[in-house]
Amino acid sequence: MTQPGDEPQHPEKTPPPTAPDDLDYRHRTGRRHYAAHQRGLDATAFGQLLLHLPGTVMSLLVLALLSSVLASWLGIPFWVLPLIWLASGALVFHRPTEDFFARHLLRLQRPMPVEYERLAPVWHEVTSRAGVDSRKFELWIEDSDDLNAYAAAGHIVGVTRFALDHLPSSQLAAVLAHELGHHTGGHVWSSLLGEWYALPGRLAWRVIRYLVTLAVAWARDYSWLAVSLLIFVVGLLTVTTVERLYGLPLLLLATPYLIAAVGRRAELRADQHAAALGFARELALVLEAMHRADRGAGHTAKAAAGRGLKDEPGFLERLLSTHPDYPTRLHRLRSHL
């Protein structure tokens, strides 16, 4: 980065974005005071961990069964596999693992020098207002034409190149303040940790569902009597499993809807965090722009498919949404404007 008054050393580099720098840099100069506790665990993060507990227990049962098989075949101690699985949750905060996660799963890129010059001052202002050390997080760029941003793993903050190039600095700060709210509230790591610990149970369920579907298709080639007998056996095993596990599998059916509801609450809390830092108006402008873009894209897709414009997401689809609708978010911001 060049200092004020220095001549640029790389005249061939891409010129900086033309988005206006209208941010009020309250903490550009002077000493920065960081909060003693820069991360927390608010009610929504705690709720996410609690709701993922049944899935974690099911995963533990699956791993215990697999571990017992390995113990009988290979002589591996029973406790090794569950212990490794539980300890693997620490990778959520492991920087090299996060780097791999950002590059290869989220398809994010490190900011180019000119992009960092645009992004870093805005990010420093947001974190300074929040009393958070900006160096504790990693800034990433998604090569996308959508207006969006991300908070992932333990330290990842990503923003699309479209947002970086086209949003005024004040609105870009509002977006980053929202994502910072997810990190400081514990929403990101608690959700990722819960999803990771529930993964073995979900994989086992998919395998069982595939085998049952395959068995029904195989029995259908012989007779409907064989299909009926197979369905009866599967039903009997299901009822027995539910009774032996004290109804835990039934609880897992409702868990996705409850997790989605908590996720919607986490989005509203992140909006409140951005508003508390002084970005309520700017965040409202961003949400209105995203709302218009989504409506325009939806109308275009429906028109291309030859459908009317009155189609709306179904009731169950709305219940499984992890984000509140834009009118709800704008209504909640109204008290901060």
Side-chain angles (χ1 to χ4, degrees):
M1 295 179 62
T2 59
Q3 298 297 325
D6 292 346
E7 293 296 326
Q9 300 298 319
H10 303 283
E12 73 280 5
K13 70 180 181 181
T14 305
T18 57
D21 188 2
D22 59 348
L23 181 60
D24 176 18
Y25 292 95
R26 303 176 185 176
H27 298 80
R28 183 183 290 273
T29 59
R31 181 185 295 273
R32 291 172 180 164
H33 299 278
Y34 298 137
H37 302 285
Q38 300 191 12
R39 290 177 182 268
L41 185 70
D42 63 19
T44 55
F46 181 77
Q48 286 175 335
L49 290 175
L50 190 63
L51 289 172
H52 279 294
L53 187 58
T56 302
V57 174
M58 288 298 301
S59 295
L60 189 58
L61 292 175
V62 170
L63 289 175
L65 179 61
L66 181 61
S67 182
S68 63
V69 174
L70 293 177
S72 60
W73 288 357
L74 305 177
I76 298 176
F78 173 82
W79 49 267
V80 171
L81 187 59
L83 183 61
I84 292 176
W85 173 66
L86 290 174
S88 65
L91 294 176
V92 172
F93 301 100
H94 185 235
R95 292 298 183 97
T97 304
E98 285 188 356
D99 187 270
F100 179 87
F101 179 77
R103 291 180 183 274
H104 301 287
L105 297 182
L106 297 180
R107 302 297 181 182
L108 301 179
Q109 306 169 4
R110 293 288 188 181
M112 299 292 288
V114 67
E115 293 172 336
Y116 189 79
E117 289 180 8
R118 157 83 169 135
L119 185 59
V122 179
W123 176 243
H124 285 314
E125 176 63 24
V126 170
T127 54
S128 296
R129 293 192 189 188
V132 173
D133 188 354
S134 63
R135 296 168 297 181
K136 291 185 176 296
F137 300 93
E138 298 285 345
L139 298 174
W140 294 82
I141 303 294
E142 182 190 21
D143 190 12
S144 171
D145 293 331
D146 294 331
L147 173 56
N148 208 347
Y150 305 91
H155 307 89
I156 295 174
V157 176
V159 65
T160 61
R161 184 162 283 115
F162 178 89
L164 184 65
D165 291 346
H166 294 84
L167 285 183
S169 295
S170 60
Q171 295 182 23
L172 179 61
V175 172
L176 294 175
H178 172 92
E179 303 308 329
L180 180 62
H182 283 309
H183 275 299
T184 58
H187 308 157
V188 185
W189 68 263
S190 62
S191 177
L192 181 58
L193 202 61
E195 293 288 342
W196 171 251
Y197 281 149
L199 185 59
R202 291 182 178 179
L203 291 177
W205 165 245
R206 290 183 180 182
V207 170
I208 292 173
R209 187 172 59 183
Y210 173 77
L211 293 177
V212 170
T213 303
L214 192 65
V216 170
W218 173 79
R220 190 180 302 167
D221 294 335
Y222 289 90
S223 68
W224 285 105
L225 180 60
V227 174
S228 302
L229 180 61
L230 181 61
I231 293 176
F232 174 78
V233 172
V234 171
L236 183 61
L237 291 175
T238 301
V239 171
T240 303
T241 302
V242 171
E243 290 180 350
R244 291 291 181 88
L245 297 179
Y246 303 98
L248 184 61
L250 295 179
L251 182 61
L252 293 176
L253 297 177
T255 299
Y257 299 96
L258 298 176
I259 292 176
V262 173
R264 293 192 294 271
R265 182 62 183 172
E267 291 298 323
L268 296 176
R269 282 183 174 267
D271 287 348
Q272 293 173 3
H273 179 269
L277 298 182
F279 299 112
R281 176 180 174 275
E282 292 77 10
L283 183 59
L285 292 174
V286 173
L287 292 177
E288 288 173 355
M290 296 175 69
H291 188 30
R292 288 193 301 268
D294 280 2
R295 286 174 61 87
H299 290 177
T300 301
K302 292 173 184 177
R307 294 181 294 168
L309 301 181
K310 296 183 178 180
D311 293 345
E312 297 292 339
F315 177 69
L316 293 180
E317 185 179 352
R318 293 196 301 271
L319 289 180
L320 286 173
S321 175
T322 57
H323 284 65
D325 57 78
Y326 291 112
T328 298
R329 296 177 68 176
L330 290 168
H331 175 73
R332 293 297 185 92
L333 281 175
R334 186 174 302 172
S335 61
H336 297 276
L337 298 176

